[in-house]
Amino acid sequence: MNKKQGFRLGVYVFKDAEVVDYAAPYGIFSVARRLDPELDVFLVADSLRPVQTQAGLTVHPNYSFNEMPDMDAFLIPGGFGTRQETYNKRLHQYIRSLPETTLLTSVCTGSWIYGNMGLLDGLPATSRKEPDRLEASEMGKVPIDRLAEIAPTCRISRARIVDTGRIITGAGIASGMEMGFHLLRRAGYEENFILEVARVMEYSEAFGVYKNDIEYFNQTCN
């Protein structure tokens, strides 16, 4: 794969987005920029107002939907806020307005949004497999099982990363790390470059454990 010059990742932030879901891939691109300053990563929100994500961490988006920033990949994190974002018609409209060349990616329950839009029909996808206390109770449901309910024709995968071409979904909260590394891979960077980013982050051992936990799905061959 040829390296994409100036690959740009847009990360969606919304009320009660899970912090690690969006901060992990953002952080990987931040470190990778030390090796290649042409990389870019930024936050996108419905408007330019500050956004309070989970645990009260407030962030300031770089762009609003109306500004339509150029990006090579759009990432939706999970978090408690996805209960509302799954049905956010303005977000759905924004996603549908993105060029076909823009990768649509998610971490954790962010995949619910693509599932509700019908974008995962006939495709494999994943979400978080480990429930919190409420999700494990009779009153709740494990997020990956909820994805199966939201998108009944989606084939549920337990891989850490599922790459179907345009749509790439990540599993649990910390899989945002692997999503960040995988997006560097999709941008055309060689494994040695990605391994160096992992080394600088003191993540080499974990990178070695998870780097092959990826399910690829080629729609043209199925």
Side-chain angles (χ1 to χ4, degrees):
M1 180 185 297
N2 293 326
K3 184 168 77 71
K4 171 71 167 61
Q5 296 294 323
F7 189 93
R8 306 185 81 215
L9 169 62
V11 179
Y12 180 51
V13 284
F14 51 90
K15 188 179 186 318
D16 290 328
E18 183 62 63
V19 174
V20 178
D21 283 13
Y22 68 84
Y26 196 107
I28 284 171
F29 269 63
S30 175
V31 173
R33 287 186 66 185
R34 302 183 190 184
L35 306 179
D36 186 354
E38 287 191 350
L39 283 166
D40 196 14
V41 58
F42 49 85
L43 300 179
V44 182
D46 183 86
S47 72
L48 288 178
R49 293 190 298 270
V51 178
Q52 182 174 297
T53 62
Q54 281 196 213
L57 180 63
T58 299
V59 295
H60 294 262
N62 304 98
Y63 297 97
S64 69
F65 285 170
N66 288 339
E67 292 175 286
M68 290 297 294
D70 291 333
M71 66 183 88
D72 298 285
F74 180 65
L75 185 142
I76 303 178
F80 188 78
T82 52
R83 277 74 178 167
Q84 289 76 44
E85 295 299 319
T86 297
Y87 305 98
N88 183 343
K89 298 300 184 184
R90 182 165 163 78
L91 172 61
H92 296 183
Q93 182 181 23
Y94 178 73
I95 292 169
R96 294 189 190 282
S97 74
L98 294 172
E100 287 291 324
T101 53
T102 303
L103 299 177
L104 301 179
T105 74
S106 66
V107 175
C108 198
T109 55
S111 59
W112 292 0
I113 294 160
Y114 298 135
N116 188 57
M117 294 175 64
L119 298 178
L120 300 180
D121 292 354
L123 300 176
T126 192
S127 187
R128 179 159 52 85
K129 302 180 285 291
E130 295 294 338
D132 62 24
R133 290 183 179 180
L134 177 60
E135 292 163 345
S137 72
E138 293 181 358
M139 298 173 58
K141 183 168 289 189
V142 181
I144 199 168
D145 294 336
R146 182 75 68 189
L147 175 61
E149 183 179 86
I150 292 170
T153 64
C154 168
R155 178 170 64 78
I156 301 301
S157 171
R158 300 187 72 81
R160 196 164 178 85
I161 299 292
V162 179
D163 186 332
T164 67
R166 188 187 184 200
I167 300 178
I168 309 170
T169 54
I173 297 170
S175 71
M177 294 292 290
E178 281 60 55
M179 178 61 74
F181 290 127
H182 188 64
L183 286 176
L184 292 177
R185 193 174 290 117
R186 285 297 306 269
Y189 288 90
E190 296 181 353
E191 288 298 310
N192 286 342
F193 177 93
I194 301 170
L195 183 59
E196 178 65 6
V197 175
R199 184 197 65 77
V200 172
M201 299 181 76
E202 298 189 355
Y203 198 76
S204 298
E205 186 172 347
F207 178 77
V209 170
Y210 291 121
K211 69 176 181 178
N212 294 319
D213 193 1
I214 303 172
E215 177 179 347
Y216 290 95
F217 180 82
N218 187 340
Q219 298 181 60
T220 62
C221 297
N222 289 274

